[in-house]
Amino acid sequence: MADKNDIFVAYAFCVGDIFMEIGPDQCITRLEGALDWVGIAKGASAIGQPMSAFLSAHDAEVMQSAFMLLENTPRIGPVRVAFGATEATRRRLGLFMSRLSSHEKNTHIVAMSLNRLDGGEQSQKQPILDKDNFLDHLPRLLEEHGKNSNTDLLVSLLQLSKDADADERKKFTQTLATLSVGGQSAAELSDGRFAVVHEANDERSAQTLMDTLKSTTGQAFDSATLDAESMGSGADAAKALVYSIRQFSDSGEDFDLENLTRNYSKNMEETRKRIQSLRALIKDRRFNIAYQPIVAITTKALHHVEALVRFDMRGGSPYEMISFAEQVGMIDEFDQIMLETVIKNLRRLVARGANPSIAVNLSARSLTTPSFISRLKETLLAHRGLRNHLIIEVTESAQVSDLGPLGQSIAMIREAGFAVCLDDFGAGHSGFQYLRQLKVDVVKIDGSYIKDAENDAESRAFLRAMASLCKDLKIKMVGEWIETPAQAELLKSVGVELGQGFLFGRPMMTLPKEMQKTPTPP
């Protein structure tokens, strides 16, 4: 019968390229596999040498962190390092590390080429995720872990106490990734704020990980740990957790991590109740639509209207509810219902001979969600007869870190024959570079520029630059928040064609009469 270690090695080679056994002194005690590939002629030549001899100085520090963590957890990985006899022969590997029991002193490592592990095109990817990808990844991770593991998951939130230089930040992020579940469950949420998902092997798991991170990176930070599974499983629990993480990410410098930990259970339960209320509101379509006119500034002729949600008949502000839907990842559900409602109204009006034109808001987050994009494409293709009546207005684009997927969605909408308007142009990071990646038909200038432009030369200069660029690109412009004739004249003078604001009309619960009536035959 085969030796237990030989069986382990055979199993390792089913998934890996190299097998290593490392002693308690961190020296190699066994090395087998595709050794020529990493410049080692025979495994025996490496026996007794410290593993660090085959790593760069930085990767040796990463491995030191991994060995420290293995004192309190049975396995980690993949730890991403370059391993080889010389700098020229070092290959990027993902190391899966384990100790077979709590009494085991040796560390067993299965090493896999990162080309096989991540895919060739991803081998140079960043060590940690950005906020959007992390928050998209987290619910799936929780669901899969709940099905396949008996251990709980923890999410630790970290805030660096001081700015780190480029080398310090690189070391910190790579170490954080190493300590995370699967080596790819850590994120930089915002400047100096991070999140890491890790297993709870005992009640001290979180503190052990934090101590390891501090000792190996030299970085000081405050932290709070949330039990990802303490509120039960299911989509609502995951969304409530995502909401808590977004609050930490987006809040100011005075955010209280201790308070987050202290009131976590209470806040999670309140958030779950809000999610359930929002879901019922969407399911039962307990909202109304108000319409605000967009007109030609020169002639005051009606161009189109924007559909605005109202959650009661008094026309109360929808900002808080929409913002909450964005933060808990439910905005795509609401956007779908809103789109269907506007399309239903358009079909009814067009069927009786009217000529309406309505812009419906779709969040950039929805337009980067694959399931929503698939439904949107089906919906638009099924209603191509409305392409001269329906405008898609993209909101919250400044919240999207990767414009590539958003640009692809916008291209799909335009290929289906529908016009696209980019809302809040100039707000946040939504500047000129957006027009290089997002090919749109209309841009709506952020209202803050218009409010400031009357009395601020710099704002007027930006306004003129926007108008000049859009004219060259043949993109129509809408000025919003127009409240005075002076603001309208200023916009007209710089070449803005369309206007929206209280000067031209407040949101109304019915469409303007021009869009409801059947055109008179000539």
Side-chain angles (χ1 to χ4, degrees):
M1 184 174 180
D3 178 81
K4 183 177 180 180
N5 279 344
D6 290 334
I7 294 174
F8 186 87
V9 172
Y11 176 78
F13 282 137
C14 289
V15 294
D17 299 297
I18 295 173
F19 171 76
M20 309 180 207
E21 186 178 74
I22 309 297
D25 57 357
Q26 297 183 19
C27 290
I28 297 172
T29 59
R30 187 170 183 175
L31 185 64
E32 300 186 40
L35 302 183
D36 287 344
W37 181 54
V38 293
I40 300 174
K42 294 182 179 180
S45 65
I47 303 302
Q49 294 194 52
M51 186 181 180
S52 59
F54 299 86
L55 304 168
S56 69
H58 175 269
D59 284 349
E61 292 180 348
V62 171
M63 286 303 301
Q64 185 63 36
S65 300
F67 283 122
M68 289 178 64
L69 189 62
L70 276 175
E71 297 294 332
N72 297 281
T73 190
R75 61 181 182 180
I76 59 172
V79 180
R80 289 171 164 81
V81 297
F83 179 88
T86 66
E87 185 174 351
T89 62
R90 284 179 188 149
R91 310 298 182 194
R92 296 294 298 171
L93 302 174
L95 308 185
F96 295 85
M97 306 172 60
S98 70
R99 290 179 181 156
L100 298 182
S101 72
S102 58
H103 305 294
E104 178 71 53
K105 297 299 182 183
N106 287 356
T107 301
H108 299 89
I109 300 176
V110 177
M112 182 185 294
S113 161
L114 285 185
N115 281 335
R116 287 208 299 131
L117 182 63
D118 293 331
E121 74 283 357
Q122 299 182 40
S123 60
Q124 300 301 318
K125 67 183 182 180
Q126 294 298 313
I128 61 174
L129 302 171
D130 61 27
K131 178 178 70 174
D132 290 337
N133 285 324
F134 175 76
L135 294 178
D136 286 343
H137 166 70
L138 183 57
R140 295 192 299 272
L141 176 63
L142 294 176
E143 182 180 3
E144 292 170 5
H145 191 271
K147 293 177 181 177
N148 302 314
S149 178
N150 294 323
T151 59
D152 286 346
L153 286 183
L154 303 176
V155 179
S156 290
L157 306 178
L158 300 80
Q159 182 166 347
L160 293 181
S161 301
K162 62 180 181 65
D163 291 336
D165 62 30
D167 289 339
E168 291 173 333
R169 183 176 290 269
K170 180 180 179 181
K171 179 179 179 180
F172 183 82
T173 57
Q174 289 188 331
T175 305
L176 196 65
T178 297
L179 302 180
S180 71
V181 170
Q184 52 187 4
S185 301
E188 182 165 12
L189 303 173
S190 55
D191 190 28
R193 292 184 177 181
F194 299 83
V196 57
V197 184
H198 52 103
E199 290 184 319
N201 297 294
D202 56 49
E203 61 183 16
R204 284 190 47 79
S205 291
Q207 189 59 51
T208 299
L209 185 140
M210 296 302 110
D211 291 344
T212 300
L213 189 60
K214 287 178 179 177
S215 64
T216 55
T217 66
Q219 293 296 314
F221 53 82
D222 296 321
S223 65
T225 297
L226 312 178
D227 187 341
E229 298 172 353
S230 64
M231 298 303 295
S233 59
D236 287 355
K239 290 180 187 299
L241 178 61
V242 166
Y243 180 68
S244 293
I245 296 171
R246 281 196 188 278
Q247 284 187 308
F248 167 65
S249 170
D250 300 341
S251 297
E253 294 181 359
D254 58 348
F255 186 84
D256 189 347
L257 277 171
E258 289 186 8
N259 183 62
L260 176 63
T261 305
R262 188 166 52 249
N263 297 312
Y264 175 61
S265 296
K266 176 184 175 183
N267 292 341
M268 283 282 285
E269 186 58 36
E270 290 177 354
T271 302
R272 288 180 66 170
K273 289 179 179 178
R274 290 183 67 188
I275 289 170
Q276 291 165 2
S277 296
L278 177 60
R279 180 167 287 113
L281 181 150
I282 293 172
K283 179 182 177 182
D284 299 337
R285 304 195 182 206
R286 297 202 308 267
F287 60 86
N288 295 287
I289 295 177
Y291 302 95
Q292 186 170 26
I294 289 88
V295 306
I297 294 178
T298 302
T299 66
K300 308 297 188 296
L302 182 64
H303 186 272
H304 68 278
V305 296
E306 180 182 1
L308 302 168
V309 66
R310 293 293 182 261
F311 292 105
D312 60 49
M313 292 304 294
R314 294 166 295 176
S317 171
Y319 175 79
E320 183 178 346
M321 189 70 77
I322 295 298
S323 178
F324 181 71
E326 290 264 5
Q327 291 175 327
V328 297
M330 293 179 65
I331 191 62
D332 59 321
E333 298 176 39
F334 177 76
D335 281 352
Q336 181 68 29
I337 296 296
M338 186 72 171
L339 176 65
E340 291 173 0
T341 303
V342 169
I343 285 177
K344 181 180 178 181
N345 292 344
L346 280 172
R347 290 184 62 188
R348 175 176 50 81
L349 290 164
V350 172
R352 71 186 195 199
N355 188 30
S357 182
I358 303 177
V360 61
N361 292 319
L362 298 183
S363 168
R365 284 185 180 149
S366 297
L367 291 172
T368 52
T369 301
S371 58
F372 178 85
I373 297 165
S374 178
R375 293 195 304 270
L376 175 64
K377 185 175 183 179
E378 291 179 5
T379 300
L380 295 180
L381 292 178
H383 297 92
R384 295 188 75 164
L386 297 177
R387 58 186 177 274
N388 294 324
H389 304 283
L390 177 66
I391 300 168
I392 303 299
E393 187 162 325
V394 182
T395 65
E396 298 296 331
S397 59
Q399 303 301 318
V400 175
S401 56
D402 183 1
L403 294 180
L406 178 59
Q408 293 172 8
S409 296
I410 289 174
M412 178 273 292
I413 295 168
R414 298 181 76 214
E415 286 170 6
F418 294 84
V420 176
C421 174
L422 182 64
D423 192 21
D424 293 331
F425 181 62
H429 301 294
S430 176
F432 294 154
Q433 73 273 18
Y434 270 47
L435 297 186
R436 293 178 62 88
Q437 299 186 59
L438 306 179
K439 308 301 182 184
V440 298
D441 304 283
V442 184
V443 296
K444 184 177 287 187
I445 306 168
D446 182 59
S448 61
Y449 280 103
I450 296 168
K451 278 190 171 295
D452 295 340
E454 285 184 285
N455 303 308
D456 181 67
E458 185 176 288
S459 294
R460 286 196 298 275
F462 273 110
L463 203 55
R464 283 193 294 270
M466 290 179 196
S468 176
L469 176 63
C470 289
K471 182 179 180 181
D472 290 342
L473 295 176
K474 296 180 172 54
I475 297 173
K476 289 184 178 180
M477 298 186 73
V478 179
E480 62 178 354
W481 298 7
I482 302 174
E483 298 180 352
T484 67
Q487 290 172 336
E489 284 299 318
L490 174 62
L491 289 171
K492 185 169 67 173
S493 71
V494 299
V496 177
E497 307 102 312
L498 304 173
Q500 179 181 13
F502 290 170
L503 179 66
F504 304 119
R506 294 175 179 269
M508 302 294 290
M509 302 309 295
T510 58
L511 276 169
K513 292 181 179 179
E514 302 97 304
M515 289 193 175
Q516 296 190 54
K517 63 185 180 182
T518 303
T520 303

